[in-house]
Amino acid sequence: MAHTFRVPQIDLASVINSDLPTIDLKLQSYEAVTLRFLKAVTTYKNQIVNEETDSRATNQCKVTELDLAQELSKEAEERKDAEVSVATFKRQLASLKEKCAAIDSEIEQYRAIADNLERERQRERSTLMTHATGAQPDIQTLEKALACVIEGLEADQLLIRFWFIDPNRPEREFTFVLDVGGSGYKVRDVMFFTVYDISHSPLPVVTSSPPLPSLSVLVNSLNDSKDIYWFILAMRQAFVKLVSA
């Protein structure tokens, strides 16, 4: 409770009639009241300053709180976007895994088919070799009867040998190599390698042993008809005609 300073009441008549007139101004009481007032003013000042400081701190806290809330909201949005991206990547990864599994399964199927085809090819080759071995005596008999041997050389090349063409030398061989690869046929000599340039034919090199003047015509007919058997007979007849001439 605040204390109120009261002005002392002075009896002037008593002071005047006194032998040593003095007036008690109550300075101690005044000083005490003044000190209490100054203390109250200081306390009030400090209270105001503290309230302003607290208000500023509160406002700063609110600003910081708003900034933090905005940051948290931004992080939540980024986290949501990241979760959506991760989910999309997971779906894509699952789809790729399914495709890879399907491709692996298809590859295994092709491998199984290839293995089956290889085994079938081996069986067919074995069967053909068995038939060829069994037919070899008959083939040799036919070769002697026809006086003609057809042998395989390199890839797509056949060596055709004739004899019993020259009456004076029945054992003399007449040969040519027939190349059946490519779009046209080629005939190559294995003895003399005589070269004929046939610019209008798809076969640039044609030879025989001994050389045949009619070889280019026969090769052109072969490329037109594609009849290899006719060509072999025609070559033998051409060799016979050559020797007879």
Side-chain angles (χ1 to χ4, degrees), residues 52-78:
E52 291 181 356
T53 302
D54 292 342
S55 177
R56 291 175 182 175
T58 300
N59 292 335
Q60 186 63 37
C61 288
K62 290 181 178 180
V63 172
T64 303
E65 183 179 358
L66 291 175
D67 294 339
L68 182 60
Q70 292 177 354
E71 186 68 23
L72 291 175
S73 177
K74 182 180 179 180
E75 290 180 358
E77 291 294 332
E78 292 177 351

Side-chain angles (χ1 to χ4, degrees), residues 225-237:
S225 66
K226 308 299 182 182
D227 191 341
I228 296 177
Y229 299 107
W230 168 87
F231 179 73
I232 294 174
L233 292 176
M235 287 291 291
R236 183 180 182 88
Q237 293 172 0

